[in-house]
Amino acid sequence: MRQRLFGGGDDGAPAFMRTLNSEALYGAIWSRPGLALEDRMICALAALGAVQRLAKLRRHVGAALDLGLSPRSILEVLIQIGIYAGFAASEEAVGAAVAVFAERGVAVPEETPR
């Protein structure tokens, strides 16, 4: 599951942490039945944005794009956290996502008129 989400890239963690994370996170949590992988990613984006784990958030934004989540839906998740984690957290999370979009050449979607 880790390979599927993040490819073969190393996240910079020591080998023992990568093994522990792989077993606990991707073997047990991310592989559980009951939620689609895209829905799990939405939960991860919201949680990482809310607690301001921006380096991990950037990595998950890339994985979310690879899973097929649209840039608009990623931004909407990160805007939504502002209600619960504060608008400063939302602003920082959106900034991290926009940076990933820029690195990948993904256009930032325009806000639709309301």
Side-chain angles (χ1 to χ4, degrees), residues 42-89:
I42 288 170
C43 293
L45 292 170
L48 291 169
V51 299
Q52 293 291 279
R53 300 296 190 268
L54 299 179
K56 293 290 185 189
L57 176 63
R58 288 173 54 96
R59 188 164 187 208
H60 281 72
V61 167
L65 290 169
D66 293 341
L67 282 175
L69 272 69
S70 72
R72 170 81 329 204
S73 65
I74 292 168
L75 291 178
E76 288 300 326
V77 168
L78 300 176
I79 291 167
Q80 184 76 20
I81 69 168
I83 298 169
Y84 306 100
F87 291 109

Side-chain angles (χ1 to χ4, degrees), residues 1-4 6 13 18 47 49 63 66 68 73 80 86 93 104:
M1 181 59 69
R2 182 173 189 240
Q3 182 93 17
R4 179 174 178 195
F6 302 112
R18 283 194 306 274
D66 293 341
S73 65
Q80 184 76 20
R104 291 180 166 225

Side-chain angles (χ1 to χ4, degrees), residues 9-22:
D10 185 353
D11 64 1
F16 72 91
M17 284 303 298
R18 283 194 306 274
T19 300
L20 181 63
N21 284 344
S22 291

